[in-house]
């Protein structure tokens, strides 16, 4: 167990609290300080949770081992720059890591360890797929996200350039393609977007090609056929066999669509020392404060950012 570390957490919302709760259980003798400008939130935190919290970071004169940025995405880049200037050695930023209009050129040469919270990398099925596939055998990847998340027009930043189905949730699918299949600099073959309820993309369908692999994306968060959010992949190999996988299972088929094998999350039975919202978030924090073998690094995140920008703005 890691001991005697100090964390600075920006944002006392759902994700900031989730990461705090996990870190508070998996680490020992650890100090936390929250930064959140909402006075009502600060009052609640101080009175009910006995948590150190301040409204801004301007007066801070103490050093920290880690920073977590769990704010809305329009603040990600400026807070990251503050963390770097304050010489915080290890920084975590929640996905989707800014938006399509942000300038990331200033952060390219940062020496700190910077990690991005694409938590689906830590799903047990994704870990199994990572070990199962050989990239050189992959011919086509199809990635889907469907939900009925947006039922009325969003307000504030969720109806602007920092939102949209591609930036907020399609980013998970794109990151997994970077992680699993080495997606890096794809050519955009065609795309179509549609604003159904919001003023940004509610539906995106696109075809891309990168090296020898073809990609098809379909993101839709206004689909009334889905009660719960669903992501899924179909990966076709050069010999015609394919695997179909989602959060719960992976199935391997031959070229005639006969089922060859099937594995589920229950079969994998992954355990973590503290369970909160699934095993993924705890595994992510363990990796962030540990070896960083799986978590998305800055290089991967900037690839994902550029692909999102190309899909949304081209």
């Amino acid at each position: 167990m890691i001991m005697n570390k100090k964390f600075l957490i920006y944002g006392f919302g759902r994700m900031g609290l989730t990461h705090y709760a996990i870190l508070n259980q998996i680490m020992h003798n650890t100090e936390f300080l929250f930064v959140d400008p909402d006075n009502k939130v600060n009052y609640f935190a101080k009175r009910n949770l006995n948590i150190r919290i301040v409204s801004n970071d301007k007066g801070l004169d103490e050093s920290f081992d880690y920073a977590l940025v769990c704010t809305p995405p329009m603040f990600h880049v400026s807070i990251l720059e503050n963390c770097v200037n304050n010489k915080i050695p290890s920084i975590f930023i929640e996905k989707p890591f800014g938006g399509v209009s942000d300038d990331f050129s200033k952060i390219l040469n940062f020496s700190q360890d910077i990690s991005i919270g694409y938590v689906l990398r830590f799903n047990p099925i994704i870990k199994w797929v990572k070990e199962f596939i050989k990239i050189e055998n992959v011919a086509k990847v199809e990635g889907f996200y469907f939900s009925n998340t947006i039922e009325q027009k969003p307000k504030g930043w969720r109806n602007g350039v920092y939102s949209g189905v591609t930036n907020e949730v399609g980013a998970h699918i794109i990151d997994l393609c970077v992680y699993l299949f080495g997606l890096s600099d794809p050519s955009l073959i065609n795309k179509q977007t549609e604003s159904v309820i919001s003023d940004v993309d509610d539906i995106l369908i696109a075809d891309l090609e990168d090296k020898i692999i073809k990609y098809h994306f379909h993101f839709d968060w206004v689909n009334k056929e889905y009660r719960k959010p669903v992501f899924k992949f179909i990966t076709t190999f050069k010999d015609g066999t394919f695997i179909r996988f989602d959060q719960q299972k992976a199935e391997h088929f031959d070229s005639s669509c006969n089922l060859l094998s099937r594995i589920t999350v229950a079969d994998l039975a992954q355990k973590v020392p503290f369970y909160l919202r699934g095993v993924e978030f705890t595994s992510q924090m363990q990796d962030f404060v540990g070896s960083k073998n799986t978590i998305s690094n800055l290089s991967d995140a900037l690839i994902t950012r550029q692909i999102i920008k190309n899909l949304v703005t081209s």
Side-chain angles (χ1 to χ4, degrees):
M1 180 178 283
I2 300 174
M3 301 174 61
N4 303 318
K5 298 294 183 181
K6 293 179 68 175
F7 284 81
L8 179 62
I9 304 179
Y10 289 87
F12 192 74
R14 182 181 64 169
M15 294 316 307
L17 275 172
T18 295
H19 298 316
Y20 162 74
I22 291 169
L23 291 165
N24 198 37
Q25 292 295 319
I26 68 174
M27 304 185 75
H28 189 57
N29 291 339
T30 301
E31 295 182 42
F32 296 90
L33 175 64
F34 278 89
V35 178
D36 195 297
D38 190 317
N39 290 329
K40 291 182 179 179
V41 167
N42 293 0
Y43 177 79
F44 172 84
K46 290 175 181 178
R47 179 168 182 174
N48 296 287
L49 299 177
N50 193 30
I51 291 176
R52 290 180 65 207
I53 187 166
V54 295
S55 59
N56 63 71
D57 60 358
K58 293 180 180 178
L60 296 180
D61 59 357
E62 54 190 298
S63 60
F64 295 88
D65 300 289
Y66 301 95
L68 286 82
V69 182
C70 306
T71 66
M74 70 280 280
F75 304 119
H76 286 176
V77 174
S78 60
I79 293 175
L80 172 59
E81 291 176 351
N82 286 346
C83 293
V84 169
N85 292 334
N86 291 329
K87 297 179 170 56
I88 301 176
S90 189
I91 304 163
F92 173 91
I93 306 171
E94 261 302 337
K95 69 86 188 169
F97 187 30
V100 296
S101 61
D102 279 327
D103 179 7
F104 295 93
S105 61
K106 296 180 181 179
I107 69 176
L108 294 176
N109 298 316
F110 286 173
S111 60
Q112 278 87 343
D113 279 328
I114 299 172
S115 305
I116 314 301
Y118 287 112
V119 71
L120 290 182
R121 289 187 177 206
F122 295 88
N123 178 275
I125 293 296
I126 298 301
K127 290 185 175 183
W128 180 89
V129 171
K130 178 74 170 174
E131 296 177 0
F132 177 82
I133 63 169
K134 291 181 172 57
I135 295 177
E136 62 269 21
N137 295 333
V138 175
K140 184 176 182 179
V141 175
E142 300 169 82
F144 305 91
Y145 173 90
F146 298 121
S147 74
N148 190 30
T149 301
I150 307 298
E151 297 185 89
Q152 55 186 344
K153 193 167 187 173
K155 298 179 180 179
W157 70 267
R158 290 194 179 276
N159 194 37
V161 295
Y162 287 95
S163 187
V165 68
T166 307
N167 197 52
E168 287 212 58
V169 291
H172 277 301
I173 303 299
I174 297 168
D175 172 72
L176 287 179
C177 288
V178 173
Y179 176 58
L180 295 173
F181 309 109
L183 178 64
S184 60
D185 187 23
S187 300
L188 180 59
I189 308 303
N190 59 69
K191 73 156 191 177
Q192 59 186 100
T193 60
E194 187 176 354
S195 298
V196 179
I197 297 176
S198 76
D199 294 329
V200 290
D201 55 305
D202 293 323
I203 300 172
L204 179 135
I205 302 172
D207 293 291
L208 307 92
E209 191 166 346
D210 188 35
K211 301 184 255 315
I212 60 172
I213 302 177
K214 295 180 179 180
Y215 293 87
H216 174 77
F217 295 143
H218 188 170
F219 312 143
D220 180 349
W221 64 2
V222 290
N223 193 322
K224 298 185 182 300
E225 294 182 8
Y226 289 84
R227 186 172 59 88
K228 294 182 178 180
V230 170
F231 88 81
K232 58 183 177 181
F233 280 86
I234 301 173
T235 301
T236 304
F237 301 103
K238 293 176 182 177
D239 63 1
T241 63
F242 62 96
I243 58 171
R244 186 169 59 200
F245 60 94
D246 55 26
Q247 300 104 311
Q248 300 298 325
K249 64 183 182 303
E251 297 173 317
H252 186 201
F253 297 86
D254 67 17
S255 58
S256 299
C257 299
N258 297 308
L259 181 64
L260 299 174
S261 62
R262 184 176 189 267
I263 192 164
T264 70
V265 169
D267 296 326
L268 297 172
Q270 181 179 338
K271 295 181 179 180
V272 290
F274 180 71
Y275 186 92
L276 180 62
R277 297 179 62 192
V279 301
E280 292 91 339
F281 286 102
T282 299
S283 296
Q284 180 178 239
M285 285 297 101
Q286 286 179 303
D287 197 44
F288 171 59
V289 300
S291 61
K292 293 182 170 67
N293 287 331
T294 302
I295 201 166
S296 174
N297 57 32
L298 179 61
S299 177
D300 283 357
L302 290 176
I303 290 172
T304 299
R305 280 256 51 95
Q306 186 59 50
I307 294 171
I308 292 172
K309 184 174 183 177
N310 291 345
L311 286 171
V312 173
T313 64
S314 62

